[in-house]
Coordinates of all heavy atoms in Angstrom, one line a residue:
M14 N -68.5 28.0 -4.8 CA -68.1 27.3 -6.1 C -66.8 27.8 -6.6 O -65.9 27.0 -7.1 CB -69.2 27.5 -7.0 CG -69.0 26.9 -8.3 SD -69.3 25.2 -8.2 CE -69.2 24.7 -9.9
I15 N -66.6 29.1 -6.6 CA -65.3 29.7 -7.1 C -64.2 29.3 -6.2 O -63.1 29.0 -6.6 CB -65.4 31.2 -7.2 CG1 -66.4 31.6 -8.3 CG2 -64.1 31.8 -7.4 CD1 -66.5 33.0 -8.5
F16 N -64.5 29.2 -4.9 CA -63.5 28.8 -4.0 C -63.0 27.3 -4.3 O -61.8 27.0 -4.3 CB -64.0 28.8 -2.5 CG -63.0 28.3 -1.5 CD1 -62.0 29.0 -1.1 CD2 -63.3 27.1 -0.9 CE1 -61.0 28.5 -0.2 CE2 -62.4 26.5 0.0 CZ -61.3 27.3 0.4
A17 N -63.9 26.4 -4.7 CA -63.6 25.1 -4.9 C -62.7 25.0 -6.2 O -61.8 24.2 -6.3 CB -64.8 24.2 -5.1
I18 N -63.1 25.8 -7.2 CA -62.3 25.9 -8.5 C -60.8 26.3 -8.2 O -59.9 25.7 -8.7 CB -63.0 26.7 -9.5 CG1 -64.3 26.0 -10.0 CG2 -62.1 26.9 -10.8 CD1 -65.2 26.9 -10.8
V19 N -60.7 27.4 -7.4 CA -59.4 28.0 -7.1 C -58.7 27.0 -6.3 O -57.4 26.7 -6.5 CB -59.6 29.3 -6.4 CG1 -58.3 29.8 -5.8 CG2 -60.2 30.3 -7.3
F20 N -59.3 26.4 -5.3 CA -58.6 25.4 -4.5 C -58.2 24.2 -5.4 O -57.1 23.6 -5.2 CB -59.6 24.8 -3.4 CG -59.0 23.9 -2.5 CD1 -58.0 24.3 -1.5 CD2 -59.3 22.6 -2.4 CE1 -57.4 23.5 -0.7 CE2 -58.7 21.6 -1.6 CZ -57.7 22.1 -0.7
G21 N -59.0 23.7 -6.3 CA -58.7 22.6 -7.3 C -57.5 23.0 -8.1 O -56.7 22.2 -8.3
V22 N -57.5 24.2 -8.6 CA -56.4 24.7 -9.5 C -55.1 24.7 -8.6 O -54.0 24.3 -9.1 CB -56.7 26.0 -10.1 CG1 -55.5 26.6 -10.8 CG2 -57.8 25.9 -11.1
I23 N -55.2 25.2 -7.4 CA -53.9 25.2 -6.6 C -53.4 23.8 -6.3 O -52.2 23.5 -6.4 CB -54.3 26.0 -5.3 CG1 -54.4 27.5 -5.6 CG2 -53.1 25.8 -4.3 CD1 -54.8 28.3 -4.4
I24 N -54.4 22.9 -5.9 CA -54.0 21.5 -5.7 C -53.4 20.9 -7.0 O -52.4 20.2 -6.9 CB -55.2 20.7 -5.2 CG1 -55.7 21.2 -3.8 CG2 -54.9 19.2 -5.1 CD1 -54.6 21.1 -2.7
L25 N -54.0 21.1 -8.1 CA -53.5 20.6 -9.4 C -52.1 21.2 -9.7 O -51.2 20.4 -10.1 CB -54.4 20.9 -10.5 CG -54.0 20.4 -11.9 CD1 -54.0 18.9 -11.9 CD2 -55.0 20.9 -12.9
G26 N -51.8 22.4 -9.4 CA -50.6 23.0 -9.6 C -49.5 22.4 -8.7 O -48.4 22.2 -9.1
L27 N -49.9 22.2 -7.4 CA -49.0 21.6 -6.5 C -48.6 20.2 -6.9 O -47.5 19.8 -6.8 CB -49.5 21.6 -5.1 CG -49.6 23.0 -4.4 CD1 -50.3 22.9 -3.1 CD2 -48.2 23.5 -4.2
V28 N -49.6 19.4 -7.4 CA -49.3 18.0 -7.8 C -48.4 18.1 -9.0 O -47.4 17.3 -9.1 CB -50.7 17.3 -8.1 CG1 -50.4 16.0 -8.9 CG2 -51.4 17.1 -6.8
L29 N -48.6 18.9 -10.0 CA -47.8 19.0 -11.2 C -46.4 19.5 -10.8 O -45.4 18.9 -11.3 CB -48.4 20.0 -12.2 CG -49.7 19.5 -12.9 CD1 -50.2 20.6 -13.8 CD2 -49.4 18.3 -13.7
W30 N -46.3 20.4 -9.9 CA -45.0 20.8 -9.4 C -44.3 19.7 -8.7 O -43.1 19.5 -8.9 CB -45.1 22.0 -8.4 CG -43.8 22.4 -7.9 CD1 -42.8 23.2 -8.4 CD2 -43.2 22.0 -6.6 NE1 -41.7 23.2 -7.6 CE2 -42.0 22.5 -6.5 CE3 -43.7 21.1 -5.6 CZ2 -41.1 22.3 -5.4 CZ3 -42.8 20.9 -4.6 CH2 -41.6 21.5 -4.4
F31 N -45.0 18.9 -7.9 CA -44.4 17.7 -7.2 C -43.8 16.8 -8.2 O -42.6 16.3 -8.1 CB -45.4 17.1 -6.3 CG -44.9 15.8 -5.7 CD1 -44.0 15.9 -4.6 CD2 -45.3 14.6 -6.2 CE1 -43.5 14.7 -4.1 CE2 -44.8 13.4 -5.7 CZ -44.0 13.5 -4.6
F32 N -44.6 16.4 -9.2 CA -44.2 15.4 -10.2 C -43.0 16.0 -11.1 O -42.0 15.3 -11.3 CB -45.3 15.0 -11.2 CG -46.2 14.0 -10.5 CD1 -47.5 14.3 -10.3 CD2 -45.7 12.8 -10.1 CE1 -48.4 13.4 -9.8 CE2 -46.6 11.8 -9.4 CZ -47.9 12.1 -9.3
G33 N -43.0 17.2 -11.4 CA -41.9 17.8 -12.1 C -40.6 17.8 -11.3 O -39.5 17.5 -11.8
A34 N -40.7 18.2 -10.0 CA -39.6 18.2 -9.1 C -39.0 16.8 -8.9 O -37.8 16.6 -8.9 CB -40.0 18.8 -7.8
Y35 N -40.0 15.9 -8.8 CA -39.5 14.5 -8.6 C -38.8 14.0 -9.8 O -37.7 13.3 -9.7 CB -40.8 13.6 -8.3 CG -40.4 12.1 -8.1 CD1 -39.8 11.7 -6.9 CD2 -40.7 11.2 -9.1 CE1 -39.5 10.3 -6.7 CE2 -40.4 9.8 -8.9 CZ -39.8 9.5 -7.7 OH -39.4 8.1 -7.5
N36 N -39.4 14.2 -11.0 CA -38.7 13.9 -12.2 C -37.3 14.5 -12.4 O -36.4 13.9 -12.9 CB -39.6 14.1 -13.5 CG -40.7 13.2 -13.6 OD1 -40.7 12.1 -13.0 ND2 -41.8 13.6 -14.3
G37 N -37.3 15.8 -12.0 CA -35.9 16.5 -12.1 C -35.0 15.8 -11.1 O -33.8 15.7 -11.5
L38 N -35.4 15.4 -10.0 CA -34.4 14.8 -9.0 C -34.0 13.4 -9.6 O -32.8 13.0 -9.4 CB -35.1 14.6 -7.6 CG -35.3 15.9 -6.9 CD1 -36.1 15.7 -5.6 CD2 -33.9 16.6 -6.5
I39 N -34.9 12.7 -10.2 CA -34.5 11.4 -10.7 C -33.6 11.6 -11.8 O -32.6 10.9 -12.0 CB -35.8 10.6 -11.2 CG1 -36.7 10.3 -10.1 CG2 -35.5 9.3 -12.0 CD1 -36.1 9.4 -9.0
R40 N -33.8 12.6 -12.7 CA -32.8 12.9 -13.8 C -31.5 13.2 -13.3 O -30.4 12.8 -13.8 CB -33.4 14.0 -14.6 CG -32.6 14.3 -15.9 CD -33.1 15.4 -16.8 NE -33.2 16.6 -16.1 CZ -34.4 17.3 -15.8 NH1 -35.5 16.8 -16.2 NH2 -34.4 18.4 -15.1
L41 N -31.4 14.0 -12.2 CA -30.1 14.4 -11.6 C -29.4 13.1 -11.0 O -28.2 13.0 -11.2 CB -30.3 15.4 -10.6 CG -30.6 16.8 -11.1 CD1 -30.9 17.7 -9.9 CD2 -29.6 17.4 -11.9
R42 N -30.2 12.2 -10.4 CA -29.6 11.0 -9.9 C -29.1 10.2 -11.0 O -28.0 9.6 -10.8 CB -30.7 10.2 -9.1 CG -30.1 9.0 -8.4 CD -31.1 8.1 -7.8 NE -32.0 7.6 -8.9 CZ -33.1 6.9 -8.7 NH1 -33.5 6.6 -7.4 NH2 -33.8 6.4 -9.6
N43 N -29.7 10.1 -12.0 CA -29.3 9.3 -13.2 C -28.0 9.9 -13.8 O -27.1 9.2 -14.2 CB -30.3 9.1 -14.2 CG -31.5 8.2 -13.8 OD1 -31.3 7.4 -12.9 ND2 -32.6 8.4 -14.4
Q44 N -28.0 11.2 -13.8 CA -26.8 11.9 -14.3 C -25.5 11.6 -13.5 O -24.4 11.4 -13.9 CB -27.0 13.4 -14.5 CG -27.9 13.7 -15.6 CD -28.1 15.3 -15.7 OE1 -27.8 16.0 -14.7 NE2 -28.7 15.7 -16.8
V45 N -25.8 11.6 -12.2 CA -24.7 11.3 -11.2 C -24.2 9.9 -11.3 O -23.0 9.6 -11.4 CB -25.1 11.6 -9.8 CG1 -24.1 11.0 -8.7 CG2 -25.3 13.1 -9.5
Q46 N -25.1 9.0 -11.5 CA -24.8 7.6 -11.7 C -23.9 7.3 -13.0 O -23.1 6.6 -13.0 CB -26.0 6.7 -11.7 CG -26.5 6.5 -10.2 CD -27.9 5.8 -10.2 OE1 -28.5 5.5 -11.2 NE2 -28.3 5.4 -9.0
E47 N -24.4 8.0 -14.0 CA -23.7 7.9 -15.3 C -22.3 8.5 -15.2 O -21.3 7.9 -15.7 CB -24.5 8.6 -16.4 CG -23.9 8.6 -17.8 CD -24.7 9.2 -18.8 OE1 -26.0 9.4 -18.6 OE2 -24.2 9.7 -19.8
A48 N -22.2 9.6 -14.5 CA -20.9 10.2 -14.4 C -19.9 9.4 -13.6 O -18.7 9.2 -14.0 CB -21.0 11.6 -13.7
L49 N -20.5 8.7 -12.5 CA -19.7 7.8 -11.7 C -19.2 6.6 -12.6 O -18.1 6.1 -12.5 CB -20.3 7.4 -10.5 CG -20.5 8.5 -9.4 CD1 -21.4 8.0 -8.3 CD2 -19.2 9.0 -8.9
A50 N -20.1 6.1 -13.4 CA -19.8 5.0 -14.3 C -18.7 5.3 -15.3 O -17.7 4.5 -15.5 CB -21.1 4.5 -15.0
Q51 N -18.7 6.6 -15.8 CA -17.7 7.1 -16.7 C -16.4 7.1 -16.0 O -15.3 6.8 -16.6 CB -18.1 8.4 -17.3 CG -19.2 8.3 -18.3 CD -18.8 7.5 -19.5 OE1 -17.6 7.5 -20.0 NE2 -19.8 6.7 -20.1
I52 N -16.4 7.5 -14.8 CA -15.1 7.6 -14.0 C -14.6 6.2 -13.8 O -13.3 6.0 -14.0 CB -15.4 8.3 -12.6 CG1 -15.6 9.8 -12.8 CG2 -14.2 8.1 -11.6 CD1 -16.1 10.5 -11.6
D53 N -15.4 5.2 -13.5 CA -15.0 3.9 -13.4 C -14.4 3.3 -14.7 O -13.4 2.7 -14.7 CB -16.1 3.0 -13.0 CG -16.5 3.2 -11.5 OD1 -15.7 3.8 -10.8 OD2 -17.7 2.8 -11.2
V54 N -15.0 3.7 -15.8 CA -14.5 3.2 -17.1 C -13.1 3.9 -17.3 O -12.2 3.1 -17.8 CB -15.5 3.7 -18.2 CG1 -14.8 3.5 -19.6 CG2 -16.8 2.8 -18.1
E55 N -12.9 5.1 -17.0 CA -11.7 5.8 -17.3 C -10.5 5.2 -16.4 O -9.4 5.0 -16.8 CB -11.8 7.3 -17.1 CG -12.5 8.0 -18.3 CD -11.9 7.8 -19.6 OE1 -10.6 7.9 -19.6 OE2 -12.6 7.6 -20.5
L56 N -10.9 4.9 -15.1 CA -9.9 4.3 -14.2 C -9.5 3.0 -14.6 O -8.3 2.6 -14.6 CB -10.5 4.3 -12.8 CG -10.6 5.7 -12.1 CD1 -11.3 5.4 -10.7 CD2 -9.3 6.3 -11.9
K57 N -10.5 2.2 -15.1 CA -10.1 0.8 -15.7 C -9.2 0.9 -16.9 O -8.2 0.2 -17.1 CB -11.4 0.0 -16.0 CG -11.1 -1.4 -16.5 CD -12.3 -2.2 -16.6 CE -12.0 -3.6 -17.0 NZ -10.7 -4.0 -17.3
R58 N -9.5 1.9 -17.8 CA -8.8 2.1 -19.0 C -7.3 2.5 -18.6 O -6.3 2.0 -19.2 CB -9.4 3.1 -19.9 CG -8.7 3.3 -21.3 CD -9.5 4.3 -22.1 NE -9.3 5.7 -21.6 CZ -8.3 6.4 -21.9 NH1 -7.3 6.0 -22.6 NH2 -8.3 7.6 -21.4
R59 N -7.2 3.4 -17.7 CA -5.9 3.8 -17.2 C -5.1 2.7 -16.5 O -3.9 2.5 -16.8 CB -6.1 5.0 -16.2 CG -4.7 5.6 -15.7 CD -4.9 6.6 -14.7 NE -5.5 7.8 -15.4 CZ -5.9 8.9 -14.7 NH1 -5.7 8.9 -13.4 NH2 -6.4 9.9 -15.3
H60 N -5.8 1.8 -15.8 CA -5.2 0.8 -15.2 C -4.6 -0.2 -16.2 O -3.6 -0.8 -16.1 CB -6.1 0.0 -14.3 CG -5.6 -1.2 -13.6 ND1 -5.7 -2.5 -14.1 CD2 -4.8 -1.3 -12.4 CE1 -5.0 -3.3 -13.3 NE2 -4.5 -2.6 -12.2
D61 N -5.4 -0.5 -17.3 CA -5.0 -1.4 -18.4 C -3.8 -0.7 -19.1 O -2.9 -1.4 -19.6 CB -6.2 -1.6 -19.4 CG -7.3 -2.4 -18.7 OD1 -7.0 -3.0 -17.7 OD2 -8.4 -2.4 -19.2
L62 N -3.8 0.6 -19.3 CA -2.7 1.2 -20.0 C -1.4 1.3 -19.3 O -0.3 1.3 -19.9 CB -3.1 2.7 -20.4 CG -4.2 2.8 -21.5 CD1 -4.5 4.3 -21.6 CD2 -3.7 2.3 -22.8
I63 N -1.5 1.2 -17.9 CA -0.3 1.2 -17.1 C 0.5 0.0 -17.4 O 1.8 0.0 -17.6 CB -0.6 1.4 -15.6 CG1 -1.0 2.8 -15.4 CG2 0.7 1.0 -14.8 CD1 -1.5 3.0 -14.0
G64 N -0.1 -1.2 -17.5 CA 0.6 -2.4 -17.9 C 1.3 -2.3 -19.3 O 2.5 -2.8 -19.4
N65 N 0.6 -1.7 -20.2 CA 1.2 -1.6 -21.6 C 2.4 -0.6 -21.5 O 3.5 -0.8 -22.1 CB 0.2 -1.1 -22.5 CG -0.9 -2.0 -22.8 OD1 -0.8 -3.2 -22.5 ND2 -2.0 -1.5 -23.3
L66 N 2.3 0.4 -20.7 CA 3.4 1.4 -20.6 C 4.6 0.7 -19.9 O 5.8 1.0 -20.4 CB 2.9 2.6 -19.8 CG 3.9 3.7 -19.5 CD1 4.3 4.3 -20.9 CD2 3.4 4.8 -18.6
V67 N 4.4 0.0 -18.9 CA 5.5 -0.7 -18.3 C 6.2 -1.6 -19.2 O 7.5 -1.7 -19.3 CB 5.0 -1.5 -17.0 CG1 6.1 -2.5 -16.5 CG2 4.6 -0.5 -16.0
E68 N 5.5 -2.4 -20.0 CA 6.1 -3.3 -21.0 C 6.8 -2.5 -22.1 O 7.9 -2.9 -22.5 CB 5.0 -4.1 -21.6 CG 4.4 -5.2 -20.7 CD 5.5 -6.1 -20.1 OE1 6.4 -6.5 -20.8 OE2 5.3 -6.4 -18.9
T69 N 6.3 -1.4 -22.5 CA 7.0 -0.5 -23.5 C 8.3 0.0 -22.9 O 9.3 0.0 -23.6 CB 6.1 0.7 -23.9 OG1 4.9 0.1 -24.4 CG2 6.8 1.5 -24.9
V70 N 8.3 0.5 -21.7 CA 9.5 0.9 -21.1 C 10.6 -0.1 -20.8 O 11.7 0.1 -21.1 CB 9.2 1.6 -19.6 CG1 10.4 2.0 -18.9 CG2 8.4 2.9 -19.9
K71 N 10.1 -1.4 -20.5 CA 11.1 -2.5 -20.4 C 11.7 -2.8 -21.7 O 12.9 -3.0 -21.8 CB 10.3 -3.7 -19.9 CG 10.0 -3.7 -18.5 CD 9.3 -4.9 -18.0 CE 8.9 -5.0 -16.6 NZ 8.2 -6.2 -16.2
G72 N 10.9 -2.7 -22.8 CA 11.5 -3.0 -24.1 C 12.5 -1.9 -24.5 O 13.5 -2.2 -25.0
Y73 N 12.1 -0.6 -24.3 CA 13.0 0.5 -24.6 C 14.3 0.4 -23.7 O 15.4 0.7 -24.2 CB 12.3 1.8 -24.4 CG 13.1 2.9 -24.9 CD1 13.3 3.2 -26.3 CD2 13.8 3.8 -24.0 CE1 14.0 4.2 -26.7 CE2 14.5 4.9 -24.4 CZ 14.6 5.0 -25.9 OH 15.4 6.1 -26.3
A74 N 14.2 0.0 -22.5 CA 15.3 -0.1 -21.6 C 16.3 -1.2 -22.1 O 17.5 -1.1 -22.1 CB 14.9 -0.4 -20.2
Q75 N 15.7 -2.3 -22.6 CA 16.5 -3.4 -23.2 C 17.3 -2.9 -24.5 O 18.4 -3.1 -24.7 CB 15.6 -4.6 -23.5 CG 16.4 -5.8 -24.0 CD 15.5 -6.9 -24.2 OE1 14.3 -6.8 -24.2 NE2 16.1 -8.1 -24.6
H76 N 16.5 -2.1 -25.3 CA 17.2 -1.5 -26.5 C 18.3 -0.6 -26.1 O 19.4 -0.6 -26.7 CB 16.1 -0.8 -27.3 CG 16.7 0.1 -28.4 ND1 17.2 -0.4 -29.6 CD2 16.8 1.4 -28.4 CE1 17.7 0.6 -30.3 NE2 17.4 1.7 -29.6
E77 N 18.1 0.3 -25.1 CA 19.1 1.2 -24.7 C 20.3 0.4 -24.1 O 21.4 0.8 -24.3 CB 18.5 2.2 -23.6 CG 17.6 3.2 -24.1 CD 18.4 4.2 -25.0 OE1 19.5 4.7 -24.6 OE2 17.9 4.6 -26.1
R78 N 20.1 -0.6 -23.4 CA 21.2 -1.4 -22.8 C 22.0 -2.0 -23.9 O 23.2 -2.0 -23.9 CB 20.6 -2.6 -21.9 CG 21.6 -3.3 -21.1 CD 21.1 -4.3 -20.2 NE 20.1 -3.8 -19.3 CZ 18.8 -4.2 -19.3 NH1 18.4 -5.1 -20.1 NH2 17.9 -3.7 -18.5
G79 N 21.4 -2.5 -25.0 CA 22.1 -3.0 -26.1 C 22.9 -2.0 -26.8 O 24.1 -2.2 -27.2
T80 N 22.2 -0.8 -27.0 CA 23.0 0.3 -27.7 C 24.1 0.7 -26.8 O 25.3 1.0 -27.4 CB 22.0 1.5 -27.8 OG1 20.9 1.0 -28.6 CG2 22.7 2.6 -28.6
L81 N 24.0 0.8 -25.5 CA 25.1 1.3 -24.7 C 26.2 0.2 -24.7 O 27.4 0.6 -24.7 CB 24.6 1.5 -23.2 CG 25.7 1.9 -22.2 CD1 26.2 3.2 -22.6 CD2 25.1 2.0 -20.8
D82 N 25.9 -1.1 -24.7 CA 26.9 -2.1 -24.7 C 27.7 -2.1 -26.1 O 28.9 -2.1 -26.1 CB 26.3 -3.5 -24.6 CG 25.8 -3.8 -23.2 OD1 26.2 -3.1 -22.3 OD2 25.0 -4.7 -23.1
A83 N 27.0 -1.8 -27.2 CA 27.6 -1.7 -28.5 C 28.6 -0.5 -28.5 O 29.7 -0.5 -29.0 CB 26.6 -1.6 -29.6
V84 N 28.1 0.7 -28.0 CA 29.0 1.9 -27.9 C 30.2 1.6 -27.1 O 31.3 2.1 -27.4 CB 28.1 3.1 -27.5 CG1 29.0 4.3 -27.2 CG2 27.1 3.5 -28.5
T85 N 30.0 1.0 -25.9 CA 31.1 0.7 -25.0 C 32.1 -0.2 -25.7 O 33.3 0.1 -25.6 CB 30.6 0.1 -23.7 OG1 29.5 1.0 -23.2 CG2 31.6 -0.1 -22.7
Q86 N 31.6 -1.2 -26.4 CA 32.6 -2.1 -27.0 C 33.3 -1.4 -28.2 O 34.5 -1.6 -28.3 CB 31.9 -3.3 -27.6 CG 31.4 -4.2 -26.5 CD 30.5 -5.4 -27.1 OE1 30.3 -5.5 -28.3 NE2 30.1 -6.3 -26.2
A87 N 32.6 -0.5 -28.9 CA 33.2 0.3 -30.0 C 34.3 1.2 -29.4 O 35.4 1.4 -30.0 CB 32.2 1.0 -30.8
A88 N 34.0 1.8 -28.2 CA 35.0 2.7 -27.6 C 36.2 1.9 -27.1 O 37.3 2.4 -27.3 CB 34.3 3.4 -26.4
R89 N 36.0 0.7 -26.6 CA 37.2 -0.1 -26.2 C 38.0 -0.5 -27.4 O 39.3 -0.4 -27.3 CB 36.7 -1.4 -25.5 CG 36.1 -1.1 -24.2 CD 35.8 -2.5 -23.5 NE 35.0 -2.3 -22.3 CZ 34.0 -3.1 -21.9 NH1 33.9 -4.3 -22.5 NH2 33.4 -2.8 -20.9
R90 N 37.3 -0.8 -28.5 CA 38.1 -1.1 -29.7 C 38.8 0.1 -30.2 O 40.0 0.0 -30.7 CB 37.3 -1.7 -30.8 CG 36.8 -3.1 -30.5 CD 36.1 -3.7 -31.7 NE 35.0 -2.9 -32.2 CZ 33.7 -3.2 -32.0 NH1 33.4 -4.3 -31.5 NH2 32.8 -2.4 -32.4
G91 N 38.2 1.3 -30.0 CA 38.9 2.5 -30.6 C 40.0 2.9 -29.7 O 41.0 3.5 -30.3
H92 N 40.1 2.6 -28.5 CA 41.2 3.0 -27.6 C 42.4 2.1 -27.8 O 43.5 2.5 -27.7 CB 40.8 2.9 -26.1 CG 39.9 4.0 -25.7 ND1 40.2 5.3 -25.8 CD2 38.6 4.0 -25.2 CE1 39.2 6.1 -25.3 NE2 38.2 5.2 -25.0
G93 N 42.1 0.8 -28.3 CA 43.2 0.0 -28.6 C 43.8 0.1 -30.0 O 44.8 -0.4 -30.2
A94 N 43.1 0.8 -30.9 CA 43.6 0.9 -32.2 C 44.7 2.0 -32.3 O 44.7 2.9 -31.5 CB 42.4 1.3 -33.1
R95 N 45.5 1.7 -33.2 CA 46.6 2.7 -33.5 C 46.3 3.5 -34.7 O 45.9 2.9 -35.7 CB 47.9 2.1 -33.6 CG 48.3 1.4 -32.3 CD 49.7 0.9 -32.4 NE 50.0 0.2 -31.1 CZ 51.1 0.2 -30.6 NH1 52.1 0.8 -31.2 NH2 51.3 -0.4 -29.4
P96 N 46.4 4.8 -34.7 CA 46.1 5.6 -35.9 C 47.2 5.5 -37.0 O 48.3 5.1 -36.7 CB 46.1 7.1 -35.4 CG 46.9 7.0 -34.1 CD 46.7 5.6 -33.5
E97 N 46.7 5.6 -38.1 CA 47.7 5.5 -39.3 C 48.7 6.8 -39.2 O 48.3 7.8 -38.8 CB 46.9 5.6 -40.6 CG 46.0 4.4 -40.7 CD 45.1 4.6 -42.0 OE1 45.5 5.5 -42.9 OE2 44.2 3.8 -42.1
P98 N 49.9 6.5 -39.7 CA 50.9 7.6 -39.6 C 50.4 8.9 -40.3 O 50.6 10.0 -39.8 CB 52.1 7.1 -40.3 CG 51.9 5.6 -40.3 CD 50.4 5.3 -40.2
G99 N 49.7 8.9 -41.4 CA 49.3 10.0 -42.1 C 48.2 10.8 -41.3 O 48.1 12.0 -41.3
R100 N 47.4 10.1 -40.6 CA 46.3 10.7 -39.8 C 46.9 11.4 -38.6 O 46.3 12.4 -38.1 CB 45.3 9.7 -39.4 CG 44.4 9.3 -40.6 CD 43.3 8.4 -40.1 NE 42.6 8.0 -41.3 CZ 41.4 7.4 -41.2 NH1 40.9 7.1 -40.0 NH2 40.8 7.0 -42.3
Q101 N 48.0 10.9 -38.1 CA 48.6 11.5 -36.9 C 49.1 12.9 -37.3 O 49.0 13.8 -36.5 CB 49.8 10.7 -36.4 CG 49.3 9.5 -35.5 CD 50.6 8.8 -35.0 OE1 51.6 8.8 -35.6 NE2 50.4 8.3 -33.8
R102 N 49.7 13.1 -38.5 CA 50.2 14.3 -38.9 C 49.1 15.3 -39.2 O 49.1 16.5 -38.9 CB 51.1 14.2 -40.1 CG 52.4 13.7 -39.8 CD 53.3 13.6 -41.0 NE 53.4 12.1 -41.2 CZ 53.3 11.6 -42.5 NH1 53.2 12.3 -43.5 NH2 53.4 10.3 -42.6
A103 N 47.9 14.8 -39.6 CA 46.8 15.7 -40.0 C 46.0 16.1 -38.8 O 45.3 17.1 -38.8 CB 45.9 15.0 -41.0
A104 N 46.0 15.3 -37.7 CA 45.2 15.6 -36.5 C 45.4 16.9 -35.9 O 44.5 17.6 -35.5 CB 45.5 14.4 -35.5
P105 N 46.7 17.4 -35.8 CA 46.8 18.8 -35.1 C 46.2 19.9 -36.0 O 45.7 20.9 -35.5 CB 48.4 19.0 -35.1 CG 48.8 17.6 -35.0 CD 48.0 16.8 -35.9
R106 N 46.1 19.7 -37.3 CA 45.6 20.7 -38.1 C 44.0 20.8 -38.0 O 43.4 21.8 -38.3 CB 45.9 20.5 -39.6 CG 47.3 20.9 -39.9 CD 47.6 20.7 -41.4 NE 48.1 19.3 -41.5 CZ 48.1 18.7 -42.6 NH1 47.5 19.1 -43.7 NH2 48.5 17.5 -42.7
L107 N 43.4 19.7 -37.5 CA 41.9 19.7 -37.4 C 41.4 20.4 -36.2 O 40.3 20.8 -36.1 CB 41.4 18.2 -37.4 CG 41.7 17.4 -38.7 CD1 41.2 16.0 -38.5 CD2 40.9 18.1 -39.8
R108 N 42.3 20.6 -35.2 CA 41.9 21.2 -34.0 C 41.8 22.6 -34.1 O 42.0 23.6 -34.4 CB 42.8 20.8 -32.8 CG 42.7 19.3 -32.5 CD 43.5 18.9 -31.4 NE 43.4 17.5 -31.2 CZ 44.1 16.8 -30.4 NH1 45.0 17.4 -29.6 NH2 44.0 15.5 -30.3

């Protein structure tokens, strides 16, 4: 009789251990799937942000091109201008 009780307790312990281990494995599988889903979300977000970044860089490049053109034109006008006589005399003192 004691043998049957001990055997039953051992079998019950093994069954409980099996279900616990199985639930633990299922939990780990779900965590892996969730982590992979988060990676997919981040990759999609990054892909979407690349397009926005490209458009921002294009806009900034256009702004820089306009600024460079304005500076170049101002420099051309400056090279063609003649200084006033009073400023010519004051220029050597500034250096």
Side-chain angles (χ1 to χ4, degrees):
M14 178 76 172
I15 291 183
F16 176 73
I18 293 173
V19 171
F20 185 71
V22 169
I23 290 174
I24 294 297
L25 181 63
L27 288 174
V28 168
L29 290 175
W30 176 83
F31 173 76
F32 282 121
Y35 180 76
N36 286 338
L38 290 172
I39 296 298
R40 185 178 60 245
L41 289 175
R42 182 185 67 184
N43 290 339
Q44 286 177 349
V45 167
Q46 289 175 346
E47 183 180 330
L49 291 175
Q51 288 296 325
I52 290 171
D53 289 341
V54 166
E55 288 299 319
L56 289 175
K57 181 169 179 6
R58 188 177 68 85
R59 182 181 292 175
H60 181 266
D61 293 342
L62 289 176
I63 288 174
N65 294 341
L66 181 62
V67 168
E68 291 302 318
T69 302
V70 169
K71 284 181 182 178
Y73 188 73
Q75 185 177 5
H76 168 73
E77 285 292 316
R78 189 176 307 118
T80 303
L81 181 62
D82 289 343
V84 168
T85 304
Q86 289 175 359
R89 283 186 199 149
R90 286 191 304 252
H92 289 299
R95 295 187 179 215
E97 298 175 12
R100 289 190 183 188
Q101 278 183 330
R102 281 181 254 138
R106 285 184 269 152
L107 295 176
R108 293 183 187 174

